[in-house]
Amino acid sequence: MLLLLPFLEGTDHFLQQPTAQRGRHRYTGGNRPLNAVLHTIAVCQIRDGGRGQDYYLREISEGKTPSEARRALKRHLSNVVYRIMKRDQRTHLAQAA
């Protein structure tokens, strides 16, 4: 119930935004160095071609703006990095056993 209190009181920041800006909430926390690395990887992949550029252009062809397409690419890259980290952890644990 406490989590709903700001929403019910009307003090929730989401309610105070104009209707046009409610599409996406910008999260200001997180790991800034990691976000910077993902941004650099995304920009380089968009510029240099390959699978990242293909993904970016596909997102744009689906109607996303360049910023939204870049954001989607960064989210995709973070998923790829996470899967690689999980695979490496499983491999490491299997070798240790």
Side-chain angles (χ1 to χ4, degrees):
M1 180 64 183
L2 289 177
L3 295 175
L4 290 175
L5 195 57
F7 179 77
L8 296 174
E9 290 177 340
T11 58
D12 189 16
H13 67 280
F14 183 77
L15 293 175
Q16 296 172 359
Q17 294 177 349
T19 305
Q21 294 179 355
R22 289 189 187 172
R24 188 180 71 84
H25 173 70
R26 184 177 302 261
Y27 178 67
T28 56
N31 189 333
R32 291 177 64 96
L34 178 60
N35 290 335
V37 167
L38 287 172
H39 176 78
T40 302
I41 294 170
V43 169
C44 289
Q45 286 198 358
I46 291 167
R47 181 190 63 212
D48 296 338
R51 287 187 284 179
Q53 187 181 59
D54 294 341
Y55 185 88
Y56 175 78
L57 294 175
R58 186 171 59 247
E59 292 292 319
I60 288 179
S61 69
E62 292 173 359
K64 293 191 176 184
T65 65
S67 296
E68 291 170 334
R70 189 173 52 251
R71 192 175 305 118
L73 176 59
K74 287 192 270 188
R75 190 169 33 254
H76 177 72
L77 289 170
S78 71
N79 291 339
V80 169
V81 169
Y82 181 75
R83 282 193 304 267
I84 291 171
M85 289 172 59
K86 291 295 282 184
R87 185 192 64 210
D88 289 350
Q89 180 186 25
R90 283 192 306 270
T91 303
H92 178 71
L93 290 175
Q95 290 175 351

